[in-house]
Amino acid sequence: MDYTILVVEDEPVQLESLAGFLKKKGYRVLMAGHPENALCIVRDNAVDMVLSDFKMPGMSGVKLLEAIKEINPSIQVIIMTAYGTVESATDAMKLGAADYITKPIDLYRLDVLIRNIVERKQLVSENRLLRQQLSEHFRVDGIISESPGMSRVLNVAGRVSDSNASVLITGETGTGKELIARSVHFSGSRSDKPFVTVNCAALPENLLESELFGHEKGAFTGADRQRKGRFETAEGGTLFIDEVGEIPLSLQVKLLRVLQEKTYERIGSNTPLQANARIVAATNRDLEAMISEGTFRQDLFYRLNVVSIRIPPLRERRKDIPPLVELFVRRFASENNKRIAGISKEAMDTLMKYSYPGNVRELENIIQQSVVLSRGETIMREDIPARLNERAPKDNPWQSVEASFTEKVEAFEQSLILDALRETGHVQTRAAERLGIGERHLRYKLKKYGMKQVLGRSAIDYMVETTTI
Ligand SMILES: Nc1ncnc2c1ncn2[C@@H]1O[C@H](COP(=O)(O)OP(=O)(O)OP(=O)(O)O)[C@@H](O)[C@H]1O
Ligand SMILES: [Mg+2]
């Protein structure tokens, strides 16, 4: 085992016997018969633990402990003490000793005690590593922010991460709200505390309440044991309230109270609990519109919206598309064990033009699909789902100022026809019915606009060939 224990004991027989026992247990063992000597060894060797006598000539156990901690505070120290000096041993614990054991030494107890300390230390360092990986992942590696819009988002997220202020993240679906919520937590001072999520859209009102605040045994039918709420589990860390716009009004009042008073009770209890989790909320709803409709409380909005982060839709920050594509290609290529070197220019052009109503998540799905479908080492235009080649509603020429009246009308017609075809599974009879025109009339229009049926690899789709006006 790669774990080094230094035994410090002025009684030679005792020293040898302890050292022999620990060696047999698989530890690397160093020995010192004198405290001064022990300090030299600690200075020159990578020592993980010191097992030291408490009363020795030249230096007391407490002094030795202090000196060791000064050299290397991560060294675990166990004090060996005779009966009657237990009080000073507990003092030593206050100074940072990991534990103490009384003399005569029960070797079995000593073994258990050391093993516990070793395991605890491993756990702590594993946790630290894990947290480090997480926070690195979310802070730098994971988040693409090539565009000015997204850099601003990350900038604000970074600046608020150490504060306790509530943060409200808004943005269309799939823009990365949860990702940013995590980055606020993992790049801040609370990163070693829990990040807890509650999704308000996923639960009916009564369950949501007990999910947030917890409940006592017997608080309601079915509450067969006490349960901690998310506020409690998130203690000291961050509570991420996702889809906050879905909270029913009655629960909004209760949430507001908690945010104002910083205390709450589990359902069925009178004991107030401290709410000290930092709140990050997210929604794709327009909360201000909801306020004017009377479905969201204004006072709650102000509490949540101390810092507001609005994530722009992907179509407003197209500079992020190429690096996102690269990130996702790499991710899905390795997930699917495929060698993919890159993406063709035409394929990238198609991706750059699309409007992404589902934002980054939609792009992620598109790339996943394309990676799976691709046959060579380069993703080609044919590997991209056919719907991307259709004109996006936002880019429709009837909205463009330059197009003439006729062009606008025709473009509008084409778009109505495409929608009808898509909604009816491309059955022309049904599409014509939906449009309220005859089937022959529809066929005429299809011909006029050069809309021909093409067999895509995954679906039958229509392509508009006369897209340039
Ligand atoms: N800037 C970005 N860089 C890298 N990946 C991103 C970025 N933004 C979003 N993603 C990825 O896109 C996906 C969707 O992001 P996320 O779940 O955070 O969106 P959301 O806004 O919470 O969506 P919804 O409104 O549907 O809940 C995730 O897989 C996320 O990792
Ligand atoms: Mg989300």
Side-chain angles (χ1 to χ4, degrees):
M1 194 186 325
D2 199 16
Y3 195 88
T4 306
I5 303 178
L6 167 64
V7 186
V8 192
E9 167 66 74
D10 60 333
E11 168 58 55
V13 180
Q14 181 80 321
L15 178 63
E16 285 291 340
S17 96
L18 281 171
F21 172 75
L22 294 174
K23 266 184 207 151
K24 253 192 264 152
K25 288 286 165 192
Y27 301 104
R28 249 187 84 211
V29 180
L30 301 170
M31 293 186 282
H34 193 274
E36 292 290 350
N37 196 357
L39 289 179
C40 291
I41 294 177
V42 167
R43 250 180 237 119
D44 298 341
N45 296 271
V47 174
D48 296 295
M49 177 185 286
V50 175
L51 176 64
S52 171
D53 195 6
F54 193 61
K55 276 205 172 124
M56 284 174 295
M59 196 188 291
S60 76
V62 172
K63 278 269 169 318
L64 178 63
L65 171 66
E66 281 173 346
I68 290 171
K69 288 282 174 187
E70 206 157 287
I71 297 167
N72 180 353
S74 71
I75 294 180
Q76 309 284 321
V77 181
I78 299 180
I79 299 283
M80 298 183 285
T81 155
Y83 278 118
T85 49
V86 170
E87 227 158 82
S88 355
T90 47
D91 285 348
M93 300 268 300
K94 282 183 202 137
L95 288 173
D99 215 329
Y100 69 90
I101 186 163
T102 45
K103 285 181 165 183
I105 306 287
D106 172 348
L107 289 177
Y108 174 76
R109 262 212 67 211
L110 179 68
D111 183 32
V112 173
L113 203 138
I114 293 179
R115 246 187 299 143
N116 283 343
I117 292 174
V118 173
E119 275 166 22
R120 209 188 312 150
K121 193 174 173 192
Q122 269 167 357
L123 215 65
V124 167
S125 60
E126 271 166 28
N127 277 346
R128 194 177 302 138
L129 192 71
L130 214 65
R131 276 200 302 268
Q132 213 172 357
Q133 286 168 345
L134 273 177
S135 53
E136 273 168 15
H137 175 74
F138 287 113
R139 201 176 344 175
V140 268
D141 290 350
I143 306 183
I144 301 291
S145 58
E146 200 71 19
S147 64
M150 202 58 198
S151 316
R152 263 195 302 276
V153 165
L154 277 197
N155 188 308
V156 179
R159 273 186 294 141
V160 299
S161 62
D162 276 334
S163 84
N164 289 330
S166 302
V167 179
L168 179 66
I169 305 173
T170 54
E172 289 179 11
T173 175
T175 42
K177 297 185 291 295
E178 179 157 0
L179 197 65
I180 293 302
R182 285 176 186 277
S183 93
V184 167
H185 173 81
F186 283 103
S187 58
S189 52
R190 293 168 180 259
S191 64
D192 57 344
K193 300 276 166 43
F195 175 86
V196 175
T197 302
V198 58
N199 186 328
C200 304
L203 296 167
E205 179 171 350
N206 52 349
L207 279 186
L208 183 57
E209 182 174 358
S210 91
E211 203 59 41
L212 280 170
F213 308 122
H215 60 72
E216 293 296 334
K217 183 176 172 178
F220 47 83
T221 357
D224 50 3
R225 66 175 94 147
Q226 185 204 60
R227 193 151 180 252
K228 278 189 187 180
R230 302 279 163 114
F231 264 102
E232 213 169 332
T233 0
E235 194 156 285
T238 302
L239 179 63
F240 175 47
I241 308 182
D242 202 3
E243 317 261 12
V244 72
E246 312 306 318
I247 299 190
L249 273 167
S250 57
L251 204 51
Q252 289 180 24
V253 187
K254 293 179 185 162
L255 182 59
L256 175 68
R257 214 204 92 201
V258 181
L259 299 186
Q260 275 170 341
E261 294 168 17
K262 303 272 177 226
T263 63
Y264 65 99
E265 294 94 34
R266 291 195 196 115
I267 303 173
S269 153
N270 291 322
T271 319
L273 298 170
Q274 289 291 319
N276 60 7
R278 195 259 182 92
I279 306 293
V280 177
T283 182
N284 54 16
R285 303 272 297 262
D286 180 350
L287 290 187
E288 275 156 299
M290 288 178 72
I291 293 170
S292 36
E293 278 168 13
T295 46
F296 202 86
R297 292 185 65 107
Q298 188 161 34
D299 40 12
L300 178 60
F301 174 75
Y302 287 137
R303 284 277 163 189
L304 294 172
N305 195 38
V306 177
V307 177
S308 83
I309 298 182
R310 177 189 167 270
I311 309 185
L314 190 54
R315 62 181 172 279
E316 285 175 18
R317 46 178 168 110
R318 293 189 188 269
K319 257 190 156 174
D320 287 339
I321 296 175
L324 280 168
V325 168
E326 197 190 314
L327 176 79
F328 296 144
V329 166
R330 249 188 292 132
R331 183 179 301 167
F332 293 117
S334 97
E335 257 178 37
N336 292 286
N337 284 322
K338 279 190 138 180
R339 255 189 67 103
I340 299 212
I343 177 159
S344 76
K345 190 178 169 307
E346 294 80 39
M348 186 56 100
D349 285 348
T350 308
L351 291 170
M352 286 299 281
K353 280 190 201 134
Y354 183 58
S355 63
Y356 300 99
N359 293 292
V360 184
R361 184 178 298 106
E362 186 179 8
L363 176 60
E364 194 176 0
N365 292 339
I366 289 168
I367 299 299
Q368 181 174 24
Q369 205 175 328
S370 311
V371 166
V372 172
L373 286 177
S374 75
R375 278 163 296 188
E377 288 198 0
T378 305
I379 293 180
M380 307 301 286
R381 191 174 175 170
E382 300 77 61
D383 302 323
I384 309 270
R387 73 188 143 89
L388 266 71
N389 292 314
E390 289 166 5
R391 193 184 286 280
K394 269 271 147 72
D395 303 336
N396 270 323
W398 76 79
Q399 291 176 334
S400 128
V401 266
E402 296 104 57
S404 73
F405 176 74
T406 319
E407 283 166 349
K408 287 183 182 183
V409 171
E410 289 188 343
F412 191 50
E413 247 183 29
Q414 287 179 27
S415 140
L416 287 177
I417 293 171
L418 263 180
D419 282 350
L421 285 167
R422 219 178 289 140
E423 283 161 19
T424 56
H426 303 271
V427 179
Q428 287 185 12
T429 344
R430 290 182 42 217
E433 209 172 287
R434 171 156 307 204
L435 288 164
I437 58 176
E439 209 186 327
R440 275 188 51 200
H441 190 170
L442 175 63
R443 269 206 299 278
Y444 162 76
K445 293 278 180 198
L446 287 174
K447 199 158 168 231
K448 175 181 169 196
Y449 294 130
M451 297 165 88
K452 69 172 188 192
Q453 203 171 10
V454 272
L455 276 173
R457 222 176 310 148
S458 50
I460 299 172
D461 239 317
Y462 278 79
M463 272 196 3
V464 185
E465 287 196 329
T466 54
T467 45
T468 40
I469 310 184

